[in-house]
Amino acid sequence: MAGLLLKLLVSFAAFLPPANAFSSTRSRHIHSTSPTFGRVESRSKFEPLFVLKEPKESFSTIQDDDVLDDSMSDGVVCARGVCVIEDDDNAMSLEVSKDESIADKVLNSYLGPRALLAGASILYGTNFPLGVIMNENLSPSAGTSARMLMASIALSPFLLKLDPKLSKSAFLCGCFTALGYTTQSLALVDTSPATVAFLGCATVLVCPTLEAFVNKKPMGLKDAPQIWLAATLCIAGVGVLELYDPTGAGLDTGWGDVLSILQAVGFGTSFFLTERMMRGQPEQALPITAVQVSVSALVCFFWCLADGWIGQPGSESLGIPFMFLDPNMRMAAGAVAFTGLITTALNRFVETSALGKMSSAEASVILATEPLWAAVFAAWWLSDSFGVNDYAGGALIVLACLANTLKPSDFSRFFNEEEMDATP
């Protein structure tokens, strides 16, 4: 199965279209995102941490690594493909050390971690309009390659800390991460950043589908009612965004919308694979992230070669470091540096630091705001306009992300209590 997935990804990379295959004029009308949020899960802290169960036969469908585990390790919180060890408030000392750093004081406070995670969600939202700014000055391959290169350099110290047993799985995961980033960049050529962000939330469909087919997890209506509710809301939201036109001017659906959905497939599969690895070894969050961006940078390099601009006269300013020396490229270079160093590298570090400091419900609500921030920044920086379908469709998709955080027990009033109790 792993070989088949890799062949599919290699075939996709080989046929990535050049930048001029898409219209350079981006539609400012939103007619219809990473990370895009999976359900945040947590478990009891009363059993030993890092107890790995015997792998089931179905695990070999993804990779032969025996470190993959589809069960949730005790004391681990997962969200957006990131897993961290949940802090045990009871184990914390009641005495505040005078030598405690400012960072520790912020993380150990009530508002600190929540503010950090909210900031991370806001920064994630800036990726979409900044991607448009990069595409207006650089080819999608050049902009994405430069962004991933800077992120991989920033996270390179964590590469050596990767558990060797995770190397094959992390590489495969990085291929799907690259699929998400490349299709996102191509979609932003002629599709509104808010549209790309909202359609990226289709990961709420991708991750449960993989759970059902790969992990053989029961997904019946009584087994996972929250998944069915989230799927219904998401499909309805996409339908309103794509098929409902209140202006009567006709639908404006194109390849950008298809690429936006493919973006969700790439990131959703990446989240699924990442959580499978991190649930058993949550301390590997940053090393796995380093591999993901490094593999993405490698895939983007081959994309640049296929695009044909490398080695052409005047192409020096399209790459690092010369783009920072060209006065005409300052805006694009700034967007590359910000998305590579801040919203990709630093943001993941902040996310892993704050995630274990709050409940799963709080974290899920905060992270579900990413497409809303993308729409806000698109309207602010790019003067994108909104219609009734945008508000209604976007609201339904965000509600789908929130519905995915519910538990089967929250639906007990709609089912026989005995049947709900029997649900694993």
Side-chain angles (χ1 to χ4, degrees):
M1 181 65 176
L4 177 60
L5 291 173
L6 285 174
K7 288 180 181 178
L8 291 173
L9 283 169
V10 171
S11 300
F12 170 79
F15 290 98
L16 275 175
N20 57 13
F22 294 86
S23 171
S24 60
T25 303
R26 184 180 60 85
S27 172
R28 297 292 187 180
H29 175 65
I30 307 177
H31 55 77
S32 23
T33 132
S34 10
T36 51
F37 313 104
R39 180 166 58 95
V40 183
E41 303 181 63
S42 60
R43 290 295 183 270
S44 170
K45 299 175 284 186
F46 296 104
E47 296 181 10
L49 197 60
F50 305 127
V51 177
L52 298 183
K53 298 183 178 180
E54 290 295 325
K56 302 176 183 178
E57 293 181 359
S58 62
F59 290 179
S60 60
T61 58
I62 288 295
Q63 197 57 259
D64 294 331
D65 297 348
D66 58 0
V67 294
L68 296 181
D69 188 1
D70 66 346
S71 63
M72 178 66 67
S73 295
D74 301 321
V76 177
V77 178
C78 292
R80 281 181 54 100
V82 179
C83 293
V84 297
I85 302 174
E86 184 179 16
D87 278 358
D88 188 350
D89 295 334
N90 296 326
M92 295 175 62
S93 173
L94 296 178
E95 296 182 2
V96 179
S97 173
K98 294 181 180 180
D99 298 329
E100 189 178 34
S101 65
I102 296 178
D104 290 334
K105 291 180 180 179
V106 171
L107 288 173
N108 291 331
S109 66
Y110 176 82
L111 293 178
R114 290 157 181 81
L116 287 174
L117 197 61
S121 184
I122 293 172
L123 290 175
Y124 280 131
T126 66
N127 281 330
F128 299 91
L130 289 176
V132 172
I133 292 175
M134 287 189 288
N135 285 346
E136 290 177 348
N137 297 273
L138 300 166
S139 68
S141 60
T144 309
S145 177
R147 173 188 176 183
M148 292 297 105
L149 178 59
M150 298 198 72
S152 62
I153 292 174
L155 294 172
S156 59
F158 296 100
L159 283 174
L160 299 178
K161 298 181 180 180
L162 180 72
D163 187 334
K165 294 181 180 180
L166 294 174
S167 57
K168 293 181 180 179
S169 300
F171 178 81
L172 178 63
C173 186
C175 291
F176 281 101
T177 303
L179 174 63
Y181 280 120
T182 54
T183 51
Q184 180 188 94
S185 181
L186 287 169
L188 289 170
V189 171
D190 60 0
T191 305
S192 166
T195 300
V196 178
F198 281 123
L199 293 180
C201 291
T203 52
V204 300
L205 301 176
V206 176
C207 294
T209 300
L210 291 172
E211 288 278 3
F213 284 97
V214 178
N215 289 344
K216 309 300 181 183
K217 184 176 180 180
M219 286 292 177
L221 182 59
K222 294 180 180 179
D223 299 309
Q226 77 280 4
I227 299 299
W228 287 89
L229 176 59
T232 302
L233 290 171
C234 182
I235 293 173
V238 172
V240 171
L241 286 172
E242 293 293 323
L243 303 177
Y244 173 59
D245 181 17
T247 65
L251 298 178
D252 188 22
T253 302
W255 281 108
D257 304 285
V258 177
L259 290 167
S260 299
I261 296 295
L262 192 57
Q263 164 205 203
V265 174
F267 284 133
T269 306
S270 173
F271 293 165
F272 172 76
L273 295 175
T274 303
E275 287 193 9
R276 282 169 64 92
M277 290 183 284
M278 290 187 188
R279 283 172 181 173
Q281 302 186 63
E283 76 282 357
Q284 289 287 300
L286 290 175
I288 291 174
T289 300
V291 174
Q292 289 175 339
V293 295
S294 297
V295 172
S296 297
L298 178 62
V299 171
C300 289
F301 170 72
F302 290 115
W303 182 17
C304 291
L305 291 177
D307 217 2
W309 60 266
I310 294 182
Q312 296 298 318
S315 64
E316 295 82 5
S317 59
L318 299 180
I320 295 175
F322 297 104
M323 68 169 59
F324 294 100
L325 305 178
D326 188 343
N328 297 323
M329 301 294 291
R330 288 178 181 174
M331 181 70 73
V336 166
F338 188 82
T339 55
L341 298 177
I342 305 300
T343 66
T344 302
L346 180 62
N347 231 23
R348 183 53 65 93
F349 180 81
V350 171
E351 189 177 2
T352 55
S353 299
L355 189 59
K357 303 285 186 177
M358 66 192 74
S359 69
S360 60
E362 288 180 292
S364 299
V365 170
I366 293 172
L367 292 174
T369 62
E370 177 187 328
L372 299 178
W373 291 113
V376 169
F377 285 110
W380 182 14
W381 294 344
L382 305 177
S383 301
D384 274 341
S385 59
F386 297 87
V388 175
N389 61 322
D390 306 314
Y391 290 110
L396 286 171
I397 292 176
V398 172
L399 286 175
C401 297
L402 299 178
N404 208 30
T405 68
L406 299 174
K407 299 177 181 179
S409 58
D410 296 326
F411 296 81
S412 59
R413 70 182 64 181
F414 302 105
F415 299 98
N416 186 290
E417 293 186 4
E418 295 181 358
E419 294 178 348
M420 293 298 298
D421 292 339
T423 301

